[in-house]
Amino acid sequence: MTGRRRLAGAGTVVRRRLLVAVPVLAATSMGMFALGAASPIDPAQQYAGAAAFTTSEENLAQIRANWGVDDPLPVQYARWVGNLLRGDLGWSTSRHEPVTSVLASRAGWTLLLVGTALALVLVASVLLGTLAAYRRGGWFDRALRAVAYAVQSMPVFWIGLAAIAVFALSLGWLPAGGLTDITATGTDPADVARHLVLPVTVLAISQAPWFVLFVRDAVAESLRDDHVLAARARGLPGRVVLFGHALRTALLPFLTLVGTHLPELVGGAVLVETVFSLPGLGAVTVEAALGADFPLLAATTLATAVVVLTANLLTDLAYAAADPRVRLDD
Amino acid sequence: MALKPKPVRVAATLAAALLAVAGCSSPTASPGGTGNAGTLVVATAGEPDTLNPVLNYGVDGASLIFDGLVARDARNELVPALARELPTVSADGKTVTAKLREGVLFHDGSPLTAQDVAFTYQAVLDPTVDSTLRSDLDMLVSVTAPDPATVVFTLKYAYAPFLQRLALGIVPAKAFAGQDVNKAGFNRKPVGTGPYRVTSWTPGDRLVLAANETYWGGKPANSGVVVAFVADDNVRAQRMRAGEFDAAELAPKLASGFEGRNGYRVHKVPTADYRGVMLPMGNPVTGDLAIRRALNVAVDRQAMVTGVLGGAGEPAFGPVPPTSEYAEPSIKGKPAADIAGAAASLDAAGWKPGPDGIRVKDGRTAAFTLMYPATDSLRKELALAVTADAKKAGIKVTPEGLTWDAITPRMGNDALIMGYGTPYDPDFVSYKLFSSAFAGQGFFNPGSYRSAVTDAALRDGRDNADAAARKAAYATFQKQLAADVPWVFLTYLQHTYVLKDAVTGVTPRVEPHEHDVANSIWWNVHTWTKKS
């Protein structure tokens, strides 16, 4: 009941945010093209690869002309926007296929990886962080913090290779990489799930320390808040005080943290995809950047921007739902 | 091998539930896990960006999916493929006629005709097609199909190695009717005449090929091949160790970890893939012949082979690999460094040691910058080795790791670690790298080396149809290059592969610089079998 009243202004907020999102996305894409124009990379040479050593200048110039990549920047941008409005994201010069099909075949896997890892991180960090805060200074708290600091200092790449060495090579429990068994003929969900256990866990573990430490500190802090102390003084059970009062206060800033931390999670996903040979957007984005493939780069940049904007909006809505002091219609 | 213990099952089921919610899978009834024993799995670092030969896929034969008019055998010698016999060349060298083999079918069951061959070459020549092969076919004026079994190539000028260019895979013309070759669906789902047809290609993951039961060259010995794309070297090694692959391409140091390991064997395959220092003539130091000659004897090639390459290579003294029939036997320097010899010739040329040991002549210090692509660790280590060796002879080299875009505009003035090479014909790479006609043109002859003798020899090499005359021309070329030293050649690499012992039928052949899906040790994978 109260939740519905608190979200009364949600519609207005969503509309207002959309109005802001359009210029933000336009500026992002323009910035992308401007940066691209400043880059000295020749996409035709990148496309040729090692064949650049046997390919004549005219040959490369002809390919550039076919692609229109030597056109003035405003012309390229206008063409890109025009296509975009017609639902065409353009042609990826580095992958040699339409940008839409690059995204269609890969974005799903990255979303699945990031989404599952994020869910895992959230649940684990709330549980572990709260428990550590409750017994602040105890052995669990000290051990958890030590582990969190240690993990924080390990590169994702290294954690991934270590996980492969232990769980795939020594124990033989899980596959070392790939999306499916190498000779499988389709993407069977159970098979894919088995292959995603390690990458999802590695990504979650690499991102967890931040969240765990944050929850632990925030809950520890709020356990000293007046209303929590009052609740305890009223003789409420420890579990109710901890999860009903202390955690709830602590969760508000945590929501913001999730929103702002999302880009880092995406960055981690790029590395995890490499280590576990997953056909996600990661490697393709790097390839697009190195190959001056603006249509693809613009699409992935925009997609990331949309995800971040959406996450921020959801965070604010969640904030409003959770905190009686925040009103959306103000 | 532990088979899916219980906890994993639980985790898998949980994750499967999540996946169903996310709804981004296309469930099939396939039982993941049990592979077909007759299927071979190979892993490569590179992934093609198209599977269309016209757009530069598997050009030099061994594309697994396509056949050219000619193919290469285990010794890289031309043999007829889609052509009934090796095509014939007219007396003036300008007309090449090929007769097609009868009864060859594409994977879709349609017959191969001369029209398909003509279409393939015309597509490469078409300026609206984004093909980087066009400059390789500079000499080609037209391709016609006078009858369904005959193809006639008309050349602008006599070009001796032309038959080598006929290894290009042939595509069916009708698959492109009314389509833009650059964007055709064919490029992802190709149809060829080769030993394998494409079942599926998941970009970033793998290419699945099934045996072509009606292959004109005989049914493949296995039921299919899966090519896994694993870009990272360490990951590829780990997954090989986990037993996922039957064969994988690995860097020498990673491959050596499998030597003596039960169930695996390592193949070191000779190549024409050289690494060398390009010395620009426009730089007053590297432009000085005495410096170039001194550097050429001061570098310790043997130490580079053992140290930098981990033994997987051999010293290089020129652009024609020792395995080539055109290699001139007299072009053979000392694998070890000759610092005394280098010092003596520098002294004689007037380069005297300065106070800091670096040589000076007419107020100029013997110092230059040596560029290398920063991400290429092999070239970096070679650059550092050259720097250390040169210092012993009193030449100061400053290594500098850069991106290609930073390197390109500086190639006329700063030295560069280059790498390329093909075993097929000395004309292919050397003509453009060392002709004065290509001086300063991009990557062709970036150091602007000019020699009338070299120019004439390279021209003779491509004009002469006579094998002995060609050999003589390339002998002259190699001697002149050794005298002028526009490059200091350092090493030929060996490409290293790890294979499971169970795999039989492997016949390595000398490889070119590029070796991904095609042209690797699995060039004849259709004859491989696996003992299970």
Side-chain angles (χ1 to χ4, degrees):
Chain A
M1 276 300 147
T2 51
R4 181 180 294 175
R5 199 169 60 239
R6 280 180 206 146
L7 284 176
T12 329
V13 170
V14 171
R15 268 193 299 279
R16 212 183 294 151
R17 286 297 182 84
L18 280 179
L19 281 180
V20 178
V22 171
V24 166
L25 293 179
T28 311
S29 61
M30 264 184 229
M32 229 273 330
F33 268 78
L35 280 178
S39 131
I41 296 174
D42 174 0
Q45 221 166 60
Q46 290 287 331
Y47 165 70
F53 287 95
T54 52
T55 307
S56 68
E57 278 301 318
E58 302 115 85
N59 197 164
L60 292 177
Q62 178 69 57
I63 291 174
R64 276 197 299 272
N66 291 351
W67 292 344
V69 290
D70 286 342
D71 290 346
L73 193 61
V75 174
Q76 286 194 54
Y77 187 70
R79 188 166 51 215
W80 182 77
V81 172
N83 288 338
L84 186 67
L85 294 179
R86 272 178 277 128
D88 176 5
L89 287 174
W91 183 255
S92 161
T93 55
S94 67
R95 291 302 318 158
H96 222 73
E97 63 179 322
V99 170
T100 38
S101 58
V102 178
L103 292 183
S105 63
R106 304 200 179 211
W109 302 123
T110 299
L111 274 180
L112 182 64
L113 174 67
V114 172
T116 321
L118 184 64
L120 202 60
V121 166
L122 294 187
V123 172
S125 59
V126 166
L127 280 177
L128 297 177
T130 310
L131 286 176
Y134 190 62
R135 293 261 180 262
R136 193 151 36 108
W139 67 268
F140 181 73
D141 182 32
R142 276 180 288 146
L144 187 73
R145 275 187 298 156
V147 171
Y149 286 127
V151 170
Q152 183 71 38
S153 62
M154 295 173 194
V156 187
F157 207 82
W158 185 86
I159 300 179
L161 286 177
I164 292 178
V166 175
F167 295 101
L169 294 186
S170 301
L171 299 173
W173 288 355
L174 290 162
L179 190 59
T180 54
D181 265 326
I182 197 74
T183 49
T185 47
T187 46
D188 176 44
D191 189 17
V192 172
R194 207 167 64 86
H195 280 77
L196 283 182
V197 173
L198 273 188
V200 164
T201 314
V202 166
L203 181 58
I205 286 178
S206 72
Q207 300 296 321
W210 248 78
F211 292 94
V212 170
L213 292 173
F214 186 90
V215 171
R216 184 241 170 226
D217 287 350
V219 173
E221 185 76 13
S222 72
L223 276 174
R224 280 183 297 222
D225 277 0
D226 290 344
H227 74 278
V228 178
L229 291 174
R232 198 176 265 179
R234 284 202 309 272
L236 290 172
R239 197 159 31 93
V240 175
V241 174
L242 186 62
F243 288 98
H245 294 78
L247 179 62
R248 191 160 160 186
T249 327
L251 268 189
L252 296 174
F254 181 64
L255 289 172
T256 326
L257 181 72
V258 175
T260 54
H261 209 70
L262 206 64
E264 196 164 319
L265 194 66
V266 173
V270 171
L271 294 175
V272 168
E273 281 172 14
T274 310
V275 175
F276 290 95
S277 337
L278 294 174
L281 277 181
V284 161
T285 308
V286 174
E287 204 179 314
L290 292 176
D293 181 354
F294 299 136
L296 180 53
L297 207 52
T300 51
T301 313
L302 279 195
T304 315
V306 167
V307 168
V308 170
L309 288 175
T310 315
N312 283 342
L313 175 62
L314 291 178
T315 310
D316 288 354
L317 293 179
Y319 216 113
D323 189 344
R325 291 166 300 184
V326 177
R327 293 242 174 260
L328 286 167
D329 50 355
D330 283 347
Chain B
M1 192 82 190
L3 282 172
K4 296 175 194 156
K6 221 170 179 187
V8 181
R9 275 276 192 226
V10 176
T13 319
L14 275 175
L18 263 167
L19 220 123
V21 173
C24 57
S25 70
S26 49
T28 53
S30 91
T34 52
N36 185 338
T39 300
L40 289 152
V41 183
V42 305
T44 68
E47 177 175 5
D49 40 30
T50 170
L51 293 176
N52 184 349
V54 170
L55 299 175
N56 210 350
Y57 165 71
V59 187
D60 279 310
S63 74
L64 312 184
I65 305 161
F66 298 93
D67 296 301
L69 289 174
V70 299
R72 293 193 177 87
D73 65 11
R75 299 172 56 226
N76 278 323
E77 277 176 16
L78 291 183
V79 290
L82 294 181
R84 208 185 305 154
E85 62 253 355
L86 285 182
T88 51
V89 183
S90 66
D92 68 352
K94 292 187 185 172
T95 308
V96 176
T97 311
K99 289 279 182 191
L100 294 189
R101 192 180 290 275
E102 273 170 44
V104 176
L105 298 179
F106 281 105
H107 297 150
D108 65 357
S110 63
L112 166 89
T113 70
Q115 204 52 55
D116 298 313
V117 180
F119 170 81
T120 302
Y121 283 89
Q122 281 156 4
V124 172
L125 296 182
D126 181 351
T128 64
V129 173
D130 303 335
S131 177
T132 49
L133 297 175
R134 203 145 46 239
S135 18
D136 286 346
L137 294 175
D138 281 340
M139 71 302 291
L140 190 56
V141 179
S142 70
V143 194
T144 53
D147 68 67
T150 312
V151 187
V152 179
F153 297 86
T154 311
L155 310 190
K156 273 181 217 142
Y157 47 86
Y159 181 66
F162 185 71
L163 295 196
Q164 300 273 355
R165 294 294 188 207
L166 300 182
L168 176 66
I170 301 303
V171 300
K174 78 168 174 62
F176 293 93
Q179 289 199 53
D180 177 353
V181 174
N182 299 314
K183 306 192 172 178
F186 182 94
N187 303 340
R188 327 234 97 220
K189 290 195 171 74
V191 173
T193 56
Y196 295 100
R197 60 190 162 73
V198 175
T199 309
S200 69
W201 176 19
T202 317
D205 188 27
R206 66 208 158 120
L207 175 67
V208 183
L209 304 172
N212 173 7
E213 303 287 327
T214 57
Y215 184 49
W216 60 267
K219 194 177 133 179
N222 47 62
S223 64
V225 178
V226 177
V227 184
F229 306 119
V230 184
D232 188 81
D233 286 349
N234 288 303
V235 174
R236 214 161 49 251
Q238 296 271 52
R239 293 183 64 184
M240 183 79 207
R241 210 163 277 137
E244 287 189 43
F245 308 136
D246 295 311
E249 166 204 358
L250 286 178
K253 281 174 189 168
L254 287 168
S256 64
F258 286 87
E259 266 169 51
R261 197 185 169 93
N262 217 3
Y264 294 95
R265 66 178 190 272
V266 177
H267 280 274
K268 288 183 183 175
V269 181
T271 72
D273 190 3
Y274 53 66
R275 295 290 177 273
V277 183
M278 184 279 296
L279 297 166
M281 300 297 152
N283 180 307
V285 175
T286 57
D288 186 318
L289 181 60
I291 293 278
R292 296 202 302 274
R293 283 189 174 158
L295 211 56
N296 192 35
V297 295
V299 290
D300 192 339
R301 294 173 171 89
Q302 193 52 52
M304 292 179 193
V305 169
T306 35
V308 178
L309 302 181
E314 54 189 315
F317 299 96
V320 181
T323 46
S324 165
E325 57 173 318
Y326 294 99
E328 163 61 34
S330 69
I331 308 302
K332 193 97 182 142
K334 286 182 213 149
D338 177 9
I339 300 297
S345 63
L346 285 171
D347 283 339
W351 288 95
K352 302 288 183 207
D356 52 355
I358 304 304
R359 289 171 185 273
V360 182
K361 180 184 179 182
D362 305 334
R364 192 186 301 285
T365 316
F368 64 90
T369 301
L370 174 57
M371 307 184 290
Y372 62 88
T375 51
D376 187 330
S377 57
L378 176 62
R379 293 191 202 196
K380 173 182 159 187
E381 287 183 48
L382 287 175
L384 296 179
V386 169
T387 304
D389 292 343
K391 193 166 179 232
K392 291 179 198 153
I395 301 170
K396 185 179 177 224
V397 177
T398 312
E400 200 173 334
L402 300 161
T403 63
W404 278 112
D405 313 289
I407 289 171
T408 316
R410 289 173 51 181
M411 291 189 297
N413 203 39
D414 292 316
L416 170 64
I417 301 271
M418 298 271 257
Y420 202 62
T422 146
Y424 308 132
D425 196 278
D427 177 81
F428 281 10
V429 180
S430 294
Y431 185 75
K432 284 168 177 168
L433 273 185
F434 299 107
S435 289
S436 42
F438 295 94
Q441 280 190 32
F443 290 115
F444 285 173
N445 179 359
S448 297
Y449 165 65
R450 286 185 176 84
S451 155
V453 179
T454 303
D455 284 352
L458 285 171
R459 162 94 13 230
D460 288 348
R462 62 163 46 185
D463 286 352
N464 271 308
D466 178 51
R470 289 199 80 199
K471 236 174 197 165
Y474 287 116
T476 312
F477 160 68
Q478 290 170 75
K479 286 177 188 159
Q480 190 60 37
L481 214 59
D484 294 340
V485 205
W487 287 37
V488 172
F489 286 89
L490 301 173
T491 60
Y492 281 104
L493 310 186
Q494 284 171 344
H495 293 157
T496 44
Y497 300 90
V498 175
L499 279 90
K500 278 192 188 159
D501 265 339
V503 178
T504 54
V506 182
T507 327
R509 66 180 186 191
V510 180
E511 291 177 4
H513 174 74
E514 295 160 288
H515 60 294
D516 285 332
V517 176
N519 282 321
S520 292
I521 198 171
W522 35 82
W523 66 277
N524 66 343
V525 68
H526 59 286
T527 64
W528 292 12
T529 51
K530 190 166 67 169
K531 289 180 296 217
S532 47

